[in-house]
Amino acid sequence: GIPLFGGNSTFAAAKREIGASSALQYRARFIEGSAGTIADREYNVREIVKQAMGTNAVQDVSLATPDKFSCLLSPAGAGQVLSVDLLTLARRQEKIDEQHFHCAEVVRQIVAPINQNKPQMTPLPPQQPSSKTVLLKEIETASLYTLEDENKVRCLQRSATFLLPSQQDPLAQQLWQMSRGRPIDVRFYDVTYTRR
């Protein structure tokens, strides 16, 4: 329910994001790899964050590999710096035919504030004063790509976010127990990549 999603204000903000009029537009880049064409993770994360969180939200990228991405973020208006690690736990891709390609990925997301003198902005309800709240989530994303022509690829994407247990944070542990292994957030995206 809404408390597991992050409360009323987080839920209301997510609802405002819905619809074509609020569509996020960003630049993306793909590169040739040993296994074929792959997304340039560092470039794409920087571009998405720039559009979603502010032009200067990415403060630093310390590591960008296919299986781990680490950066420092300072979202516009948040008043703090966050350490973000994305660890790929599982990945699978399958070429269906010449026009269809499917892939799925499970990523562990670890977000921790590093500027402890400024107020906390977390998607979880407020808890007892603690400046070291670490948010642990797993995100499952399934993407169905369709090559429409040589300059356009469409992707139908489903992303589900799951809470993880925490031994250090009793509230996070309680929220994880309340979620009963169900996703706290499921989003569907219709993504179009156009070559320019």
Side-chain angles (χ1 to χ4, degrees), residues 137-179:
K137 299 177 185 174
E138 281 189 4
I139 302 167
E140 296 178 358
T141 303
S143 303
L144 312 176
Y145 293 93
T146 301
L147 178 63
E148 293 195 350
D149 61 47
E150 64 183 36
N151 294 315
K152 187 175 186 180
V153 175
R154 293 211 47 194
C155 174
L156 298 177
Q157 193 173 77
R158 176 190 182 268
S159 183
T161 302
F162 298 84
L163 294 177
L164 294 176
S166 171
Q167 300 298 318
Q168 291 78 31
D169 186 341
L171 180 59
Q173 181 72 17
Q174 182 181 8
L175 290 171
W176 171 74
Q177 290 171 335
M178 289 171 54
S179 71

Side-chain angles (χ1 to χ4, degrees), residues 5 12 31 33 42 44 61 87 89 94 118 123 141 179 183 190 193:
F5 187 79
I31 55 179
E42 179 178 357
N44 294 344
V61 174
L87 310 171
L89 303 177
E94 181 178 4
K118 296 186 180 176
T141 303
S179 71
D190 186 358
Y193 294 103

